[in-house]
Amino acid sequence: MCNMCKTNVNKTETFAGRMLETFNNANVGVMISLGHRAKIFDVMATKDKFSVDKLSKESNLNKRYIKEWLAAMTVANIVEYDPENRAYSLPKEHAAFLTRNAGSNNFATLFQFIPVIASVEEQLLHCFKNGGGVGYDNYYRFHEVMAEESGQHLGNNLITKILPLIDGIIDQLDKGINVLDIGCGSGTALNTLAKVFPNSNFTGIDLCKEPIRKAIKVAKNLNLENVSFLRLDGSNFHFDTKFDFITTFDTIHDQARPDKVLKNIYNSLTDEGTYLMMDIYASSYLEDNIDHPLAPALYSMSTAHSMTVSLAQKGMGLGSMWGYQQATKMLSNAGFSDIKIELIPEDMMNAYYIAKK
């Protein structure tokens, strides 16, 4: 066989193997999501070994489903199996990335996005054929999953890692300033800030009704009187007062008109104010993202959510991977002249843009 033929055969076999691996991993991803939601990983992390019966009882879950789920986790090399004793265990090294105690290292929360995206496959297919987009209301559990993911990440890093990137902001918050969070979702970041900095006043706005309702409920349960949440469009809002600090957390790339949102942010800041934008860290150029560790997931989620929810509002359809080059340009076009990009080791997904007038 000629060398070129051998190369083609090897390439074909390699790709076939990759497709099998991808198919396996996609299915395992759904099982990880279920394991997280049912808190099976958390239960398994409490003891060295479990029989099917014992795990079923301690997790209060159906024995037959537990048995089959454990089999899937075993062949996926996530759970270890002792056939002699018919016992299963979750290695500590694996629990460190699969349980709620892992905090921001818990990858299991991310796998919930797979069934969320799969739930709109028919609508996406329609968009591929006819254009348009899939609106926010079509996504089952999206806000719930996003709130958990944000809470896991921001809850651990917001005060200790993210705010210290901005010179003097913690002192300002301690003394008392006006803060606005755009695209606040369920209020994870803002309620955290309002609790830690009681002398400052916080306002959160979001386009969607359900997360705003949840944010208000959480604030009430925490007895927070220095925070309020309103259902407003980030591209078309106006307040009588200006803000000393404005934040957006992974939301600009979802907006219908991110250019208008950024201009509104600029106009709503005091002359000495600061805008903090947390958003996906990537290049605006596909060729630069080939080796990005999360590129396949981020481009897929952009297709299935970020881009399409914007297009559903007849927006720009910016997408998750708009990149720091375009982000910096759009911040400049909005009027910002002092723009810095910061990274933190604990966050492999996002960049932190600190912008001033």
Side-chain angles (χ1 to χ4, degrees):
M1 184 181 291
C2 66
N3 289 334
M4 184 175 293
C5 295
K6 289 180 180 178
T7 299
N8 289 339
V9 169
N10 290 337
K11 187 175 182 179
T12 300
E13 291 178 348
T14 299
F15 185 73
R18 183 182 165 204
M19 288 297 96
L20 284 173
E21 183 180 9
T22 301
F23 179 65
N24 278 326
N25 288 339
N27 283 279
V28 170
V30 177
M31 293 297 103
I32 292 175
S33 175
L34 280 168
H36 171 74
R37 294 184 66 188
K39 301 184 178 180
I40 310 174
F41 294 122
D42 300 290
V43 173
M44 292 193 75
T46 62
K47 293 184 175 63
D48 290 336
K49 290 186 177 182
F50 283 91
S51 65
V52 171
D53 284 340
K54 186 177 180 181
L55 183 56
S56 174
K57 289 177 182 177
E58 296 212 12
S59 61
N60 196 29
L61 297 170
N62 182 275
K63 176 182 174 180
R64 183 65 187 92
Y65 280 90
I66 284 290
K67 181 181 179 183
E68 207 72 3
W69 181 86
L70 282 169
M73 291 296 95
T74 298
V75 297
N77 295 315
I78 293 171
V79 165
E80 293 181 352
Y81 177 55
D82 174 6
E84 185 175 341
N85 296 302
R86 296 188 181 277
Y88 301 82
S89 60
L90 180 66
K92 292 180 180 179
E93 297 82 357
H94 298 187
F97 296 97
L98 290 171
T99 62
R100 286 166 174 80
N101 285 338
S104 58
N105 288 329
N106 183 12
F107 280 84
T109 58
L110 292 173
F111 286 91
Q112 296 176 100
F113 286 107
I114 298 174
V116 168
I117 287 174
S119 70
V120 296
E121 183 182 27
E122 289 299 321
Q123 294 97 314
L124 285 170
L125 181 60
H126 176 84
C127 293
F128 268 82
K129 294 178 178 179
N130 303 289
V134 181
Y136 281 110
D137 292 342
N138 292 277
Y139 291 83
Y140 175 66
R141 290 190 71 241
F142 177 80
H143 292 297
E144 179 184 342
V145 173
M146 195 68 202
E148 182 179 6
E149 174 61 22
S150 296
Q152 182 175 274
H153 174 72
L154 293 175
N156 289 294
N157 296 322
L158 181 56
I159 307 301
T160 60
K161 303 292 183 182
I162 299 173
L163 289 184
L165 296 174
I166 306 170
D167 290 338
I169 195 64
I170 292 179
D171 287 339
Q172 292 177 45
L173 288 164
D174 274 331
K175 292 176 182 177
I177 57 175
N178 292 321
V179 182
L180 174 66
D181 185 32
I182 300 170
C184 64
S186 299
T188 302
L190 216 57
N191 280 326
T192 299
L193 290 171
K195 183 177 180 180
V196 176
F197 301 105
N199 293 328
S200 289
N201 293 307
F202 301 88
T203 303
I205 67 172
D206 199 281
L207 184 63
C208 300
K209 179 169 62 176
E210 186 55 38
I212 285 292
R213 186 183 301 158
K214 182 175 181 181
I216 293 172
K217 182 178 179 180
V218 171
K220 185 177 181 180
N221 290 339
L222 293 173
N223 295 315
L224 298 175
E225 297 182 354
N226 59 334
V227 61
S228 60
F229 295 96
L230 303 168
R231 189 183 179 192
L232 292 173
D233 184 347
S235 64
N236 186 27
F237 68 87
H238 174 75
F239 290 95
D240 292 333
T241 183
K242 292 199 172 185
F243 296 88
D244 305 290
F245 186 35
I246 298 179
T247 60
T248 57
F249 296 99
D250 273 339
T251 188
I252 294 298
H253 63 259
D254 286 344
Q255 301 297 309
R257 290 300 303 269
D259 54 339
K260 289 186 176 182
V261 176
L262 291 173
K263 188 64 179 176
N264 261 357
I265 290 171
Y266 180 85
N267 291 334
S268 299
L269 270 178
T270 61
D271 289 340
E272 300 300 321
T274 302
Y275 170 44
L276 170 65
M277 178 176 76
M278 183 181 89
D279 217 292
I280 303 299
Y281 182 56
S283 171
S284 300
Y285 304 102
L286 174 60
E287 59 271 25
D288 295 337
N289 294 326
I290 300 297
D291 295 324
H292 190 300
L294 287 169
L298 290 171
Y299 277 117
S300 297
M301 292 179 70
S302 181
T303 305
H305 185 266
S306 300
M307 179 190 75
T308 192
V309 295
S310 175
L311 293 175
Q313 303 170 65
K314 302 186 186 305
M316 294 172 63
L318 198 61
S320 304
M321 300 294 274
W322 60 318
Y324 63 86
Q325 295 94 335
Q326 187 172 4
T328 303
K329 182 179 179 180
M330 291 182 71
L331 285 166
S332 295
N333 289 343
F336 292 102
S337 59
D338 182 359
I339 304 166
K340 293 191 299 182
I341 302 176
E342 301 282 358
L343 305 175
I344 62 172
E346 293 79 6
D347 187 354
M348 65 185 293
M349 186 180 296
N350 295 297
Y352 296 85
Y353 299 80
I354 301 166
K356 292 179 176 289
K357 292 186 175 181

